[in-house]
Amino acid sequence: MEEFEQLIKGCIKEDRKAQKKLYDLFAPRMMMICFRYSKSTMEAEDILQESFIKIFGNLKKLRETSNLAAWIKRIVINTALNYQRGKLYLYPMVDIGNIHLSYDEPVALSDFRQDELLTMIQDLPLGCQVIFNLFAIEGYSHKEIAEKLEISEGTSKSQYSRARSLLKQKLEEGRNNNYGEVRQ
Amino acid sequence: MERSGNKFEREWKDHFAKAEIKPREEVWTKIDSTLANRQIQRYRRKIFIYKLLAAASIVFALGIGYFNSGEFFRTDESRPDQLSKRAEAENETIRSGENISGDKTDPVLDEPALTSREDMEMINHESENAEREDRMDVVDQVERADELGIVPKRGGMERTEIADSRGRNVPNQAENLSDKLIYTGTTLPAGSIDIHRDPDDNRESTPTYLPYLSNRLNIESKIPSQNIENPGKKSDPYSDDWYAMYEETRRDEQEDRTKFWAGINFSSGVFDPNISYGNGQASLSDQTALFNGSADLIEEVPSFDNNISNFMRAARPEETTYEPEFSYAYGINVGYQISPKFIIRGGISYLSNHTSTTINSYIENSATNRKMPNQALYSVSIESAGVTSVNTSTEEFKLNNTYEFISMPVSLGYYLIDKKIQWMLTAGITTDFFLKNTISDPSDFLESKEIRAGSDSPYNNSYLNGTLGTMVNLSFAEHYRFSLEPSYRLGLSEFSKEDAAFTSRPSALFITVGISYIFK
C-alpha cells in the first residue's frame, strides 16, 4: 500500500516513470472499457489516451488512494461518454414505448469468446451500446443513466430493452453459426 | 426494474469484470508526448509571467535609480515636514549631549565645522551647477556677515547658547527653525556660522541670511520679499508671525498635492475566459427540438431548427482547453484626489485578450468541404454554413482566440504611503464592452471566423469586472508621475449570454505602467 502511495506521489510530481508504471497497471483493463464504449480501435485508443491525460492531471485531487481503481474507471467512463456525446445527440435516442422486458431467460455467454462478445456490443447502435454498458456492466440504474445523459428514464429503459433484444438475437445467431460450423 | 437479480446482466457483468486488452505501445507514446507538451506550455506560461514581472521590476528599479541619483530625494528632504522631523531628531541628539565636543566637531554633522568662507564655498561647489547663482548669494551674504561682525563658529553649538546669547526668550518655533537651517546643511551646515553671535545682538543682521536659508527650505516664494528686506517686521525669523507664515507655507504645499491628473497607461498580462461547458448537454426538449431522427438514428442529418444555442450544445467541442496567452491594453486615465487619503480615477482603454484553444472537433459542410470551428456558427447561419456534421478528430487543433473590448474602469485608491513615492491600494469596477472574438487556426485547416457583438453572439455586449490592485507612484519633474500597478480582475457578471452553450466569467492578471501629468 505504501508503495502504491509512493507511485501516486510520483505521478503527482510528474515523474514519467511513475506515470508509466501506473499506466501499465491500469491501461489493459481500462482499454477494455474503452472498447465497450467505442466502435473502433482508434476510438478506443483516443478515449484511453484522453482518460490517462485527465487522470495524471487530476491525481492530486484524489482524496483516498484506496479508491484509485474506482476513480480511474469513473474517469474513463466519463471520458468515453463525453467522446460519444456529440454523436449521441446527432443520433438521438427516443422512447420506443410499450417495452416488454423479460428477465428470466437463460443466457450462456461462456459459449463465446471475449472478442466475440465485445464485437456484439460494439455492433449495437450507439445509444443502445452506451446504455447497455452503463446499465448491465457498470451497474447504473436507469434513473442515474437518465440524469447522466439528460434523457428520460423511459428512453433509457427502451434503449436498453432494444440493446438486450439485439444482443440476444446476435447470441442466437452466433450459437447457430457455431453449431453449423460444428456440424460441418 | 430490479437489475441485480437478472441473470442476463449478471452474466455480462461477470464476463467483463476482469477482462483486459493490452493497448498498443503507440498509445503511451501519444500520452507521453501530450504530457510533455502540456508541461512545456505550463513552463512557458510561468516564464512569461516571470518575464513580465522581471521587466516591470527592472523598469521600476531603473526609475528609482534615476530619481535617486539626482536632486530628487534632496528636494524631498528639504520639504518642511521632513526637515521638521529630522531637525527634531537631531535636536534630541544634541540635547542628550552626544557629539558635543566643543571643539572641532560639528554637533550635527559629526564633521569638522567649517571655519572659513573657502570651506563653505567648497561645500557649495559640491552642490549642482544649477545653484551657482545661489552660491554667489551665499558668498555675498557671508561677506556681509563678516562686515557685520558675524563670524563662523569653530566648534559645536549648544542650543542653550542661542537663547543666552540673544538675551531673550527664543520661541520654540525659532529654535526649530534654527534646526531646520542646520539641516539645509548639504550646502551650508548649521553651526558653521553662528548667526546668533552677533556681537551687537543686532537682529536686523540675521535676516540677511534668509534668502539663502529660506531657499534651502524651498519656501522663498512664499515669503514676501519686502519682509525679507525689512526684517523688523513680519519676516523676523524669531517671531511667531514668521513661523505662522512657515506653517502656512507647509499647508499650501500639502494642498498643492491635492490634484487632478490625466495620463496614459499600458497593461500586459494574462486573460482567462474561464469557459465552462458544464454538463454541456442538450436537455430532452432540446434534443427533440434538434433532432427528428428515428430510433435507429443511422446516417440522418438532423434538423437543427435553426436554434444555434441548442445546436451548439450538441456541437460543443468534445474536449476543449483554453490556455491564457499574452494580453494587452492601452488607454487614457484621469484621476482626482478627493481627500488626503483617497483618490478616484477612471478611464477608457482598448483591451485585446488572447487565449489559445485546443479542440478535437469541428463542424463541416461536406458538400463544399468547408471546415470551421464549432463557434463559427455564431457568425454564420446554419443554412449558409450548410453544416452537415460535427466531426471528432483524433488530432487536436490549437486555435488562436482573440477577444477585443473597450474597457472603462472606475476605481478608488487609498494611500498607504503618500510621499514622493506613493503606495496605494486600489479597488473598483471595470465595464468591458465586447467588440469581437476572432478565432483562427494557424494551420489553416479550419476557416477563421469573427464573432461580433450582437444578438447572434454568445457573448453579452458588456459585462462587469471587479478589480483589486496595488499601485506604486513615483513623482518626477514636479508635474509628472510614473505608476506601476499589478491588478487582478474577476468577472462579476457573466460574459456569456444566458442561453449560450457555455458559461464564461473571465479573470485576468495585469501589470499596468503609466505616466500621468499632474495639474496643480
Side-chain angles (χ1 to χ4, degrees):
Chain A
M1 193 66 188
E2 198 174 313
E3 192 185 352
F4 202 55
E5 283 179 358
Q6 287 300 321
L7 182 65
I8 292 173
K9 279 181 186 170
C11 292
I12 292 170
K13 287 178 185 168
E14 302 189 81
D15 172 3
R16 203 50 51 81
K17 281 182 185 170
Q19 287 174 330
K20 178 73 165 72
K21 206 170 172 183
L22 189 81
Y23 172 82
D24 288 341
L25 207 59
F26 287 97
R29 196 165 294 181
M30 296 306 123
M31 187 66 184
M32 176 54 88
I33 295 175
C34 296
F35 264 114
R36 282 198 280 113
Y37 284 88
S38 56
K39 297 287 183 194
S40 65
T41 306
M42 191 181 284
E43 275 187 14
E45 287 180 347
D46 279 352
I47 294 168
L48 186 73
Q49 180 190 333
E50 197 53 46
S51 301
F52 270 93
I53 287 165
K54 283 182 184 170
I55 288 163
F56 292 133
N58 292 288
L59 252 181
K60 54 180 172 286
K61 295 179 188 166
L62 179 69
R63 289 178 186 170
E64 288 186 28
T65 51
S66 57
N67 294 336
L68 182 66
W71 182 75
I72 288 177
K73 188 178 172 185
R74 200 163 61 242
I75 287 182
V76 172
I77 290 170
N78 285 336
T79 308
L81 291 179
N82 279 336
Y83 191 90
Q84 302 296 5
R85 184 161 283 130
K87 289 169 195 163
L88 280 175
Y89 290 127
L90 284 175
Y91 309 123
M93 295 168 281
V94 294
D95 193 346
I96 299 164
N98 300 324
I99 313 150
H100 178 69
L101 295 174
S102 169
Y103 300 106
D104 301 325
E105 300 159 33
V107 285
L109 299 185
S110 52
D111 295 345
F112 296 89
R113 294 195 313 270
Q114 191 120 46
D115 61 320
E116 287 175 326
L117 294 173
L118 184 62
T119 307
M120 285 179 198
I121 293 175
Q122 286 184 319
D123 285 345
L124 289 171
L126 187 59
C128 295
Q129 180 187 359
V130 167
I131 289 173
F132 176 78
N133 274 311
L134 290 171
F135 183 80
I137 302 179
E138 259 65 74
Y140 287 94
S141 69
H142 282 301
K143 192 180 175 188
E144 287 168 331
I145 294 169
E147 283 170 5
K148 217 171 177 56
L149 297 179
E150 288 196 12
I151 56 175
S152 71
E153 213 174 319
T155 302
S156 176
K157 283 179 183 173
S158 65
Q159 289 288 324
Y160 177 68
S161 171
R162 184 177 171 77
R164 200 168 184 274
S165 64
L166 285 171
L167 282 172
K168 280 193 173 177
Q169 199 181 321
K170 285 173 194 295
L171 287 169
E172 195 63 37
E173 284 171 9
R175 200 167 284 126
N176 290 339
N177 288 342
N178 285 343
Y179 292 151
E181 283 169 14
V182 170
R183 278 197 296 270
Q184 285 167 4
Chain B
M1 184 168 69
E2 184 49 56
R3 178 184 48 78
S4 59
N6 193 327
K7 282 183 184 175
F8 181 81
E9 285 80 19
R10 206 165 47 232
E11 281 232 30
W12 280 96
K13 187 172 183 174
D14 292 346
H15 209 84
F16 281 96
K18 292 182 178 176
E20 292 184 351
I21 295 179
K22 195 169 187 302
R24 294 184 307 151
E25 277 303 313
E26 285 84 348
V27 179
W28 171 252
T29 311
K30 283 182 184 173
I31 293 173
D32 188 21
S33 127
T34 309
L35 290 172
N37 279 340
R38 291 195 174 181
Q39 267 177 319
I40 290 167
Q41 279 180 0
R42 237 182 0 259
Y43 287 140
R44 276 186 187 158
R45 268 206 311 279
K46 277 183 188 171
I47 288 168
F48 168 72
I49 290 170
Y50 290 147
K51 277 182 182 171
L52 210 63
L53 288 172
S57 306
I58 289 168
V59 169
F60 186 67
L62 285 176
I64 293 276
Y66 172 76
F67 293 111
N68 202 16
S69 63
E71 181 72 10
F72 187 70
F73 285 106
R74 192 167 58 192
T75 52
D76 188 45
E77 284 177 358
S78 70
R79 283 165 50 180
D81 55 339
Q82 297 297 313
L83 280 169
S84 175
K85 285 176 190 167
R86 294 196 56 183
E88 280 169 20
E90 289 303 329
N91 264 349
E92 196 55 42
T93 308
I94 292 164
R95 287 191 189 101
S96 66
E98 292 172 18
N99 284 334
I100 304 175
S101 64
D103 289 325
K104 298 289 183 185
T105 308
D106 186 291
V108 178
L109 299 177
D110 198 19
E111 288 173 355
L114 296 180
T115 56
S116 68
R117 188 190 319 168
E118 286 77 17
D119 286 334
M120 192 162 61
E121 283 181 333
M122 182 186 70
I123 291 172
N124 280 330
H125 185 69
E126 288 171 1
S127 65
E128 290 113 34
N129 290 335
E131 293 185 347
R132 186 186 304 278
E133 192 178 331
D134 194 19
R135 189 166 67 241
M136 293 309 293
D137 287 345
V138 173
V139 172
D140 290 339
Q141 289 160 15
V142 171
E143 284 171 356
R144 289 183 64 189
D146 286 343
E147 287 167 12
L148 292 166
I150 302 171
V151 293
K153 185 182 178 185
R154 284 180 170 275
M157 180 176 67
E158 290 182 320
R159 296 292 98 190
T160 50
E161 283 181 18
I162 296 172
D164 292 343
S165 66
R166 295 191 56 79
R168 61 186 288 250
N169 289 332
V170 179
N172 287 340
Q173 293 94 327
E175 187 172 341
N176 283 339
L177 180 61
S178 281
D179 292 333
K180 293 176 188 80
L181 298 182
I182 287 166
Y183 269 83
T184 61
T186 51
T187 54
L188 182 62
S192 61
I193 301 169
D194 188 350
I195 60 173
H196 310 301
R197 292 186 68 181
D198 182 348
D200 299 322
D201 195 15
N202 183 356
R203 289 176 55 198
E204 289 184 4
S205 66
T206 54
T208 60
Y209 291 90
L210 275 176
Y212 170 77
L213 298 170
S214 59
N215 185 43
R216 296 290 83 212
L217 277 171
N218 211 8
I219 56 173
E220 74 280 13
S221 61
K222 306 293 178 185
I223 301 172
S225 58
Q226 66 271 22
N227 288 348
I228 294 168
E229 296 303 322
N230 302 291
K233 299 187 178 176
K234 286 194 171 184
S235 59
D236 182 352
Y238 305 109
S239 73
D240 290 345
D241 289 345
W242 198 95
Y243 185 72
M245 285 178 64
Y246 154 69
E247 280 290 278
E248 191 182 341
T249 302
R250 225 176 81 168
R251 274 199 304 276
D252 287 348
E253 285 205 348
Q254 283 181 341
E255 281 168 11
D256 272 354
R257 284 153 57 205
T258 302
K259 53 203 165 252
F260 168 78
W261 66 90
I264 54 171
N265 53 274
F266 175 81
S267 308
S268 59
V270 286
F271 170 85
D272 188 346
N274 290 325
I275 286 179
S276 165
Y277 285 90
N279 286 329
Q281 300 160 10
S283 65
L284 182 65
S285 58
D286 288 338
Q287 290 174 48
T288 49
L290 278 171
F291 309 112
N292 301 318
S294 68
D296 286 329
L297 322 165
I298 306 298
E299 298 299 329
E300 284 201 17
V301 177
S303 157
F304 298 123
D305 202 23
N306 206 19
N307 183 330
I308 289 175
S309 291
N310 286 344
F311 180 81
M312 284 302 291
R313 286 193 181 91
R316 52 163 287 191
E318 296 190 357
E319 189 55 47
T320 309
T321 55
Y322 290 85
E323 301 286 348
E325 301 280 350
F326 175 78
S327 297
Y328 64 88
Y330 53 84
I332 55 171
N333 63 79
V334 292
Y336 183 71
Q337 186 156 3
I338 51 179
S339 76
K341 282 285 184 187
F342 285 96
I343 61 116
I344 187 166
R345 61 182 182 150
I348 184 165
S349 301
Y350 166 77
L351 182 59
S352 180
N353 291 324
H354 298 253
T355 64
S356 62
T357 311
T358 307
I359 62 168
N360 66 348
S361 67
Y362 57 91
I363 54 175
E364 182 175 11
N365 179 336
S366 55
T368 59
N369 204 26
R370 289 176 70 189
K371 299 179 180 66
M372 288 171 274
N374 300 26
Q375 290 90 337
L377 283 176
Y378 287 112
S379 60
V380 291
S381 70
I382 292 166
E383 287 82 2
S384 67
V387 175
T388 55
S389 62
V390 179
N391 298 333
T392 300
S393 169
T394 52
E395 291 178 27
E396 290 187 334
F397 301 98
K398 191 169 183 181
L399 306 178
N400 293 333
N401 221 330
T402 306
Y403 300 88
E404 292 171 70
F405 297 92
I406 292 293
S407 187
M408 295 184 70
V410 178
S411 62
L412 273 177
Y414 177 79
Y415 282 116
L416 295 174
I417 295 175
D418 184 15
K419 306 288 182 188
K420 283 286 179 187
I421 295 176
Q422 297 170 323
W423 178 30
M424 69 168 72
L425 295 179
T426 59
I429 288 176
T430 302
T431 310
D432 283 348
F433 295 92
F434 175 61
L435 298 176
K436 65 177 180 183
N437 171 211
T438 309
I439 307 160
S440 59
D441 178 8
S443 67
D444 290 332
F445 179 76
L446 302 176
E447 285 183 26
S448 294
K449 282 294 161 193
E450 265 186 17
I451 302 169
R452 292 185 172 273
S455 57
D456 291 339
S457 159
Y459 308 114
N460 285 317
N461 288 348
S462 66
Y463 76 104
L464 285 178
N465 292 283
T467 309
L468 276 178
T470 179
M471 183 157 76
V472 177
N473 293 326
L474 199 62
S475 300
F476 65 98
E478 192 175 359
H479 280 282
Y480 291 92
R481 191 164 66 189
F482 169 80
S483 62
L484 177 73
E485 181 183 15
S487 63
Y488 177 74
R489 298 162 45 134
L490 180 65
L492 296 177
S493 62
E494 295 282 350
F495 175 37
S496 54
K497 285 180 178 167
E498 272 183 18
D499 59 352
F502 56 86
T503 59
S504 171
R505 198 180 281 258
S507 60
L509 182 66
F510 277 109
I511 293 181
T512 304
V513 291
I515 290 181
S516 306
Y517 180 84
I518 302 158
F519 300 91
K520 288 189 177 176

